[in-house]
Amino acid sequence: MTLLIVGHPFHFEMENLCRVFFPADEIRRVTPAESARDRLVWRIRTNRLRMNRQRASPWALTRHRAEKDGWVLEAACGRQGRCWRAKRNLPPGTDRNARELALARLLFAVFRRATSYCPPWGLLTGVRPSKLMLQLRADGGGAAAARYFRESLWVSEEKTALAARVAAAEEPVLALTRPETCSLYVAIPFCPSRCSYCSFVSHTVERSSAARLVPEYLEKLREELLRTAEIVRILGLRVASVYVGGGTPTILTAVQLANLCETLRTAFNWGDCGEFTVEAGRPDTITAEKLTVLKEAGVTRVSVNPQSLDDEVLRLAGRRHTAADALAALRLVREAGFREINMDLIAGLPGDSPAGFRRSLEGVRACAPENITVHTLAR
């Protein structure tokens, strides 16, 4: 899909709406000058947009201009030889956020007419719905927040109710957060192998060149942690939670994990720390020795991430373990005495299906972990 941006800076939101309605398309954003050079897209003459009917892929226009009577917003969508348009005038003094929302509503409306599809989450893109719901509830109460979701953002009744339920569940947790506290994330960017879907900055230690980086990285990480701890002290903050993620932190040896945990414990004030999580994301890196080290260091939560319980899906994803390995690792973590366990799944992996993902989800639920995290792949 080609998106023409005329006279406004609201690129990000417009592109995200294109992805909602045309998820399989690559979004190509162009300006009027670029469009004029590309005769396969369109021609603009005397302020009239003409679509080249030979072009099969859809296009969209978002136009924003100031006039003496206020702002003029326009949106159009061309698809399968047809064109849908919408236009709205806004009074002078309308602020930037209101103009962005109004233009998004116009584009949403023409897309909805062009595709006969109404996304249940409405205009919400690139935002955690419960976070926005919490902000609106704090400003005007639950009823006003739900009304804004439905009437301004065009979120369905079902999804509005879901966002409200999630926000209500998050409120007691967020109430524990204090301005004088902070959370610490520690990255270990190494893995036993690289999964096909991975977009993280990470090195595969099966390559000898990458494996040689680990000791030097840990030394530099120690120096950075000590400097960070000093900054935390100067600012008068206290650590409320620690998350050691990756990569795969349990790719480290038991001795390396012990040294890292010791640095964390001695450098920071842990008086208010309610959670210490280590991501043991790859079941093939979990051993009883490493779990003993983590338990003795005060780790309270371990994440075991099978991603799928289908062996063929795991193979296609480049995972070096089976579903049975993941379940065995989970038992090992329980036997080590951990009472807070998370398990990750990814929806939409190559070779998977809705039925297959449901089986994986049911299998993980049967393991009764305290937390389940579900990720979806992004284009």
Side-chain angles (χ1 to χ4, degrees), residues 315-329:
R315 185 189 69 79
L316 291 172
R319 305 282 287 191
R320 302 290 181 83
H321 65 85
T322 65
D325 293 334
L327 299 179

Side-chain angles (χ1 to χ4, degrees), residues 217-273:
Y217 177 84
L218 291 176
E219 182 56 35
K220 296 299 183 183
L221 176 61
R222 180 178 181 278
E223 294 175 8
E224 185 174 348
L225 287 171
L226 293 176
R227 286 197 293 269
T228 301
E230 181 62 25
I231 294 171
V232 168
R233 281 194 293 273
I234 292 172
L235 295 175
L237 299 175
R238 299 191 302 274
V239 175
S241 64
V242 177
Y243 191 101
V244 182
T248 306
T250 44
I251 195 66
L252 302 180
T253 67
V255 172
Q256 290 169 334
L257 283 171
N259 291 338
L260 174 61
C261 291
E262 178 64 17
T263 298
L264 289 168
R265 280 291 185 186
T266 56
F268 293 89
N269 177 0
W270 286 61
D272 294 305
C273 187

Side-chain angles (χ1 to χ4, degrees), residues 103-124:
L103 190 56
R105 286 166 63 93
L106 286 181
L107 185 60
F108 185 97
V110 295
F111 278 158
R112 186 168 55 187
R113 288 160 53 197
T115 62
S116 299
Y117 169 61
C118 186
W121 283 108
L123 296 174
L124 288 181

Side-chain angles (χ1 to χ4, degrees), residues 352-360:
D352 208 352
S353 65
F357 180 76
R358 178 180 290 275
R359 287 192 295 271
S360 293

Side-chain angles (χ1 to χ4, degrees), residues 201-222:
V201 177
S202 184
H203 297 274
T204 302
V205 295
E206 63 185 8
R207 293 172 47 212
S208 59
S209 59
R212 287 197 295 268
L213 294 173
V214 175
E216 183 180 358
Y217 177 84
L218 291 176
E219 182 56 35
K220 296 299 183 183
L221 176 61
R222 180 178 181 278

Side-chain angles (χ1 to χ4, degrees), residues 18-83:
C18 290
R19 293 188 179 94
V20 169
F21 285 91
F22 301 94
D25 286 17
E26 179 181 352
I27 309 302
R28 177 173 174 263
R29 190 180 74 206
V30 298
T31 63
E34 293 167 332
S35 172
R37 294 194 299 268
D38 185 355
R39 291 180 299 172
L40 292 178
V41 183
W42 41 53
R43 300 184 303 276
I44 300 178
R45 292 180 179 173
T46 62
N47 284 334
R48 295 188 65 185
L49 184 67
R50 298 182 180 181
M51 182 179 69
N52 186 319
R53 293 177 181 269
Q54 294 178 353
R55 187 173 179 84
S57 63
W59 55 261
L61 162 76
T62 52
R63 192 198 305 265
H64 175 285
R65 69 178 185 272
E67 295 187 352
K68 64 179 181 179
D69 296 330
W71 301 93
V72 180
L73 312 180
E74 296 175 84
C77 173
R79 188 175 186 233
Q80 298 174 343
R82 297 185 60 192
C83 180

Side-chain angles (χ1 to χ4, degrees), residues 251-375:
I251 195 66
L252 302 180
T253 67
V255 172
Q256 290 169 334
L257 283 171
N259 291 338
L260 174 61
C261 291
E262 178 64 17
T263 298
L264 289 168
R265 280 291 185 186
T266 56
F268 293 89
N269 177 0
W270 286 61
D272 294 305
C273 187
E275 180 180 295
F276 183 7
T277 297
V278 172
E279 191 173 349
R282 293 284 289 267
D284 44 334
T285 66
I286 300 174
T287 68
E289 182 184 14
K290 294 177 185 179
L291 292 172
T292 298
V293 166
L294 297 178
K295 187 66 178 175
E296 292 177 350
V299 172
T300 59
R301 183 169 174 264
V302 173
S303 187
V304 181
N305 304 335
Q307 311 302 7
S308 172
L309 292 182
D310 185 306
D311 287 346
E312 179 60 15
V313 172
L314 292 172
R315 185 189 69 79
L316 291 172
R319 305 282 287 191
R320 302 290 181 83
H321 65 85
T322 65
D325 293 334
L327 299 179
L330 178 65
R331 288 194 294 271
L332 206 58
V333 173
R334 286 291 191 204
E335 290 168 2
F338 290 96
R339 294 294 173 262
E340 293 288 335
I341 298 176
N342 173 76
M343 296 183 76
D344 277 15
L345 289 175
I346 296 179
L349 285 172
D352 208 352
S353 65
F357 180 76
R358 178 180 290 275
R359 287 192 295 271
S360 293
L361 182 58
E362 290 172 349
V364 165
R365 289 184 63 191
C367 296
E370 283 65 35
N371 311 121
I372 298 175
T373 302
V374 177
H375 300 278

